[in-house]
Amino acid sequence: MASGLVRVLLADGDDTFADALSDALDRAPAAAAVSRVRDHAAAVAAVETEPYDCVVTEYDIDGPGGESGGDDRNESEVDDAASGLDILRRVRERDPALPVFLVTGAGSERVAAAAVDADATGYLRKGESTGDDGSVAEALAERIDDAVATYRSGSGTREVGEDRAEILDRMADGFVAVDADDAITHLNAQAAALAGAVDGSESAAEGAEGAERRDDAASGSEPGDADALVGTSLWDAFPDAAETEFETAFERARATGEPTEARTYYEPAASWFEARIYPSASGVSVYFRDVTGAVEEREEIQRRERVMRRLYEIISAKDDPFEGKVEKLLALGRDVLGAESGLLSNVQGSRYVVEVADDVTGSFGEGAVVDLSETNCERVVSTAASVQVRDVASDPDLSARSGFVQQGISCYVGAPVIVDGDVYGTFCFYDRTDRSEPFSDWEATLVDLMARWVGYELERRETQIEMRRERDRLEQFASVVSHDLRSPLNVAAGNVDLVRESVDDERLARTSKALDRMEELIGDALSFARLGERVVETEAVDLVRVVEEAWATTATGDATLAADALGTVVGDASRVRTLFENLFRNAVEHAGDAPTVTVGWDDGVLYVADDGPGIPEENRDQVFETGYTTSGEGTGFGLGIVKAVAEAHGWTVRAAAADGGGARFEFGDVVRRRGD
């Protein structure tokens, strides 16, 4: 117990902790006088000019909780030259025995290691004991009283080793300090336990006593374990650390005098460790922590990224048929899940039909049909939800089914394949060996994602088939109309022409004109029916050539064409020509006498414009509707055909106003050949 007034310097901007410590010292047996400073500069001045019996300093004096208020700095960003460590070192230069306690509200193992190196009497983290500053302040007050009593007694040099051991053993991470010859000067219990993880076989140098010491260190049960390793070589205590990234970083730190870091796998502990190495004049200090969890987590994330990349490659392959993609998805799922088999099924009432199988058990093949109630998939179908079972034997319902009884399926994961809102079937994986761990959420999600894609693709295929049927019906109808109407139409037109050769009657002229009109309507109807089919096979289309051909085959009268340097696009040349023919015909019909028609590009948009009166803004959406026309001579199909051809190419189309006030038709998303 200290006698007389204890003079304590507290260098800390944290008012809450300062009040708690003052209260705790007031209750201590020895009377204490606390001098408070709030920043590093004031602390330096105090320790260099005033005598004290004890110094307590916050590591980050000017940081969070200080006079400047809390901030968001990370402890690793604090400059040690302006920290409590600097105060500690300054005190040690003047008095190697004076009690100095380093406290911190946001410390780390690096700070604890540095406190040991700087010969701190103690290192405490605020709130570390039970979660409040008061409990730490009480403990610190007791230690101050004992340390000051020892200091004043002059009963010998303070036992630095004991203080260091106390600090080091309270660290969650391992700490080792070695001298210039790599002999261990001190280490904490965590480091001693890791040294004990070295293979227990005796070396000739160790003998039985050394092997027993290693076994004791591994157990971590004896308080003298760390002491038993002091004096031994770092490389004898941790032989498997030699010739690793750690040794390289260690030697670099010693050679350069600069701190280094290393991450390495330590075989005896079957763990990854991250080491930070700090050289000093007296040797090297190393503190390390187990980062196996972080490494495994990162590796798992990378593995998942590779799986998702492979998944994308499979489903986005344009040349693979649907069944081929499903087979590759099943192979990918088997690999990721470690499952023997996988399959895609189609459920038809009570019938379970295998559509695509990757089954090494031989139980199911493509086209196999079994009773749905005897399968694990029945639960997926009945609930329309994913199912995961790591051990089928533990499920009374599933274990009674033939999937388990006859095929021996012991673990299962499956997801429903939904098409048009109904359960089409299942996408599942299974194995004849149960799993030690349940399927992870990510594994279940992966299977569900695959099933969703399969459902989407089946739905898309059904839509395409239906669209193809509709197109076929439309094509058949158009052909019938073309044949059944044109044949009698040609007969009628021929007879009218014969009669007109001998009879001059205005009614015959009107009849002939009506027949021509019918021919035109039939032609436009056929074009509209056939040109809207999606363009699949494309080619390089020279726009200048196609535009000139379309102009030449259209009755343009006195109109003028302006089209230069149009380049090349990707599409169907025949249908693109039809598009321009209808646009040119529209311009000639609506733009007045001798219009100028311009074809060009404007900021990536292909356009056709004229200098006529234009299209009223309120009518611009209607002009593409089939049958819409403002001319008594038009069929109303022309711009509808333009829209059908554009959409068949995946282009957008809209009517707008030309710069001069005429009509302008713009086409977006047109694919141009690279370089044009």
Side-chain angles (χ1 to χ4, degrees):
M1 180 184 298
S3 59
L5 185 67
V6 176
R7 296 161 299 177
V8 178
L9 173 66
L10 174 60
D12 194 346
D14 183 351
D15 291 336
T16 301
F17 180 75
D19 292 343
L21 181 60
S22 294
D23 291 344
L25 287 171
D26 286 343
R27 293 189 293 272
V34 179
S35 298
R36 169 91 180 280
V37 294
R38 294 175 176 274
D39 56 54
H40 176 264
V44 171
V47 299
E48 292 184 351
T49 59
E50 300 293 336
Y52 296 99
D53 297 304
C54 180
V55 174
V56 178
T57 176
E58 159 70 47
Y59 167 68
D60 186 8
I61 302 175
D62 301 324
E67 188 173 38
S68 60
D71 62 28
D72 295 327
R73 288 185 299 167
N74 184 285
E75 170 276 319
S76 62
E77 299 172 353
V78 177
D79 181 4
D80 283 349
S83 72
L85 285 172
D86 178 62
I87 303 302
L88 170 59
R89 294 183 183 112
R90 289 173 184 268
V91 172
R92 284 289 166 258
E93 290 175 359
R94 301 169 65 87
D95 188 341
L98 183 71
V100 181
F101 292 91
L102 190 71
V103 297
T104 180
S108 71
E109 308 305 340
R110 186 185 73 80
V111 178
V116 171
D117 279 349
D119 201 10
T121 307
Y123 169 76
L124 296 89
R125 295 189 63 172
K126 297 175 181 178
E128 188 177 66
S129 297
T130 59
D132 62 77
D133 291 335
S135 61
V136 177
E138 293 286 349
L140 179 56
E142 288 186 24
R143 297 186 62 187
I144 289 173
D145 191 55
D146 292 341
V148 171
T150 301
Y151 175 65
R152 286 180 172 179
S153 70
S155 58
T157 304
R158 179 175 56 86
E159 293 296 333
V160 175
E162 293 180 5
D163 295 321
R164 283 179 172 169
E166 181 181 353
I167 296 173
L168 293 170
D169 285 341
R170 288 172 54 236
M171 291 171 58
D173 297 345
F175 180 85
V176 181
V178 300
D179 61 18
D181 297 322
D182 292 349
I184 296 174
T185 57
H186 48 265
L187 76 169
N188 66 357
Q190 288 76 12
L194 186 64
V198 177
D199 185 78
S201 60
E202 298 180 33
S203 66
E206 279 186 316
E209 182 179 349
E212 182 179 352
R213 184 194 69 206
R214 289 282 173 79
D215 290 339
D216 289 342
S219 69
S221 60
E222 295 295 331
D225 292 341
D227 291 338
L229 291 169
V230 171
T232 63
S233 168
L234 174 69
W235 310 109
D236 287 340
F238 303 92
D240 289 88
E243 299 182 359
T244 66
E245 293 87 345
F246 169 76
E247 183 181 19
T248 301
F250 183 92
E251 296 300 338
R252 184 167 65 251
R254 170 161 282 167
T256 63
E258 297 293 330
T260 60
E261 295 184 1
R263 176 173 289 184
T264 187
Y265 184 76
Y266 195 60
E267 187 67 38
S271 300
W272 284 89
F273 287 90
E274 185 176 78
R276 298 177 187 177
I277 304 159
Y278 294 88
S280 65
S282 60
V284 178
S285 297
V286 178
Y287 73 93
F288 53 87
R289 60 192 181 98
D290 189 327
V291 294
T292 304
V295 171
E296 291 177 346
E297 181 178 356
R298 186 176 65 255
E299 290 177 346
E300 177 63 14
I301 290 173
Q302 292 173 345
R303 183 182 75 92
R304 293 181 183 183
E305 287 177 347
R306 289 193 298 270
V307 171
M308 297 308 295
R309 189 160 49 246
R310 178 57 183 151
L311 176 65
Y312 172 76
E313 290 171 353
I314 291 171
I315 65 177
S316 63
K318 293 183 178 180
D319 296 333
D320 277 1
F322 170 73
E323 289 75 11
K325 292 181 179 181
V326 172
E327 289 174 355
K328 290 178 180 178
L329 288 180
L330 291 172
L332 176 64
R334 284 183 53 206
D335 181 57
V336 173
L337 300 170
E340 284 182 310
S341 307
L343 59 83
L344 166 65
S345 70
N346 174 218
V347 174
Q348 303 169 3
S350 63
R351 300 170 72 245
Y352 179 86
V353 182
V354 178
E355 289 204 342
V356 183
D358 186 356
D359 182 16
V360 300
T361 69
S363 301
F364 299 101
E366 185 175 332
V369 179
V370 297
D371 189 331
L372 175 63
S373 63
E374 293 300 317
T375 69
N376 297 323
C377 290
E378 184 275 335
R379 183 174 293 178
V380 175
V381 174
S382 63
T383 61
S386 300
V387 171
Q388 305 91 40
V389 184
R390 74 170 185 85
D391 182 7
V392 174
S394 65
D395 187 308
D397 176 30
L398 297 183
S399 61
R401 304 186 184 192
S402 64
F404 177 74
V405 176
Q406 296 180 14
Q407 281 82 39
I409 296 175
S410 295
C411 72
Y412 169 90
V413 55
V417 175
I418 307 296
V419 177
D420 290 330
D422 296 324
V423 177
Y424 171 91
T426 62
F427 198 81
C428 65
F429 298 89
Y430 48 92
D431 200 292
R432 290 172 294 186
T433 303
D434 62 281
R435 291 169 62 104
S436 58
E437 297 292 334
F439 290 96
S440 69
D441 290 343
W442 184 80
E443 290 172 328
T445 300
L446 178 65
V447 176
D448 189 63
L449 182 61
M450 290 179 173
R452 286 175 182 267
W453 177 84
V454 171
Y456 163 77
E457 193 67 12
L458 287 170
E459 195 169 289
R460 189 178 69 86
R461 287 208 310 172
E462 286 191 3
T463 301
Q464 288 181 328
I465 291 171
E466 184 58 31
M467 289 177 62
R468 192 172 296 115
R469 291 195 193 102
E470 289 295 327
R471 284 197 300 268
D472 291 343
R473 283 196 292 267
L474 183 59
E475 178 72 21
Q476 184 179 16
F477 172 76
S479 297
V480 169
V481 168
S482 174
H483 179 270
D484 291 357
L485 284 183
R486 275 181 167 159
S487 292
L489 187 65
N490 290 335
V491 172
N495 287 327
V496 168
D497 289 341
L498 288 174
V499 173
R500 289 182 68 189
E501 290 178 0
S502 58
V503 178
D504 185 11
D505 190 324
E506 180 63 25
R507 291 174 296 178
L508 291 175
R510 289 198 300 270
T511 301
S512 179
K513 188 175 182 179
L515 292 173
D516 290 341
R517 173 71 169 170
M518 291 177 65
E519 176 68 28
E520 186 179 356
L521 285 169
I522 291 171
D524 282 349
L526 285 172
S527 295
F528 186 78
R530 292 167 176 167
L531 295 175
E533 186 175 350
R534 183 77 179 178
V535 173
V536 177
E537 296 183 3
T538 59
E539 58 187 312
V541 180
D542 183 345
L543 282 184
V544 171
R545 180 178 61 80
V546 169
V547 166
E548 289 177 348
E549 290 175 351
W551 187 263
T553 55
T554 303
T556 55
D558 295 328
T560 302
L561 174 66
D564 296 318
L566 295 175
T568 305
V569 301
V570 177
D572 182 317
S574 176
R575 281 193 263 184
V576 172
R577 175 176 166 176
T578 300
L579 178 143
F580 282 110
E581 287 174 343
N582 281 275
L583 287 171
F584 295 156
R585 187 178 300 115
N586 183 77
V588 171
E589 290 178 357
H590 298 282
D593 297 334
T596 297
V597 180
T598 304
V599 183
W601 291 94
D602 183 5
D603 195 23
V605 173
L606 179 65
Y607 70 89
V608 177
D610 61 53
D611 55 2
I615 304 171
E617 185 173 357
E618 63 271 16
N619 295 338
R620 289 174 188 166
D621 291 334
Q622 293 178 271
V623 296
F624 297 106
E625 295 178 2
T626 305
Y628 178 84
T629 179
T630 59
S631 169
E633 300 296 324
T635 65
F637 279 99
L639 293 180
I641 292 172
V642 168
K643 182 180 180 182
V645 172
E647 292 180 344
H649 281 82
W651 304 348
T652 61
V653 58
R654 77 183 191 99
D659 291 340
R664 170 166 158 148
F665 296 92
E666 298 178 340
F667 301 90
D669 298 330
V670 180
V671 180
R672 304 177 71 176
R673 193 176 65 177
R674 187 171 298 177
D676 288 332

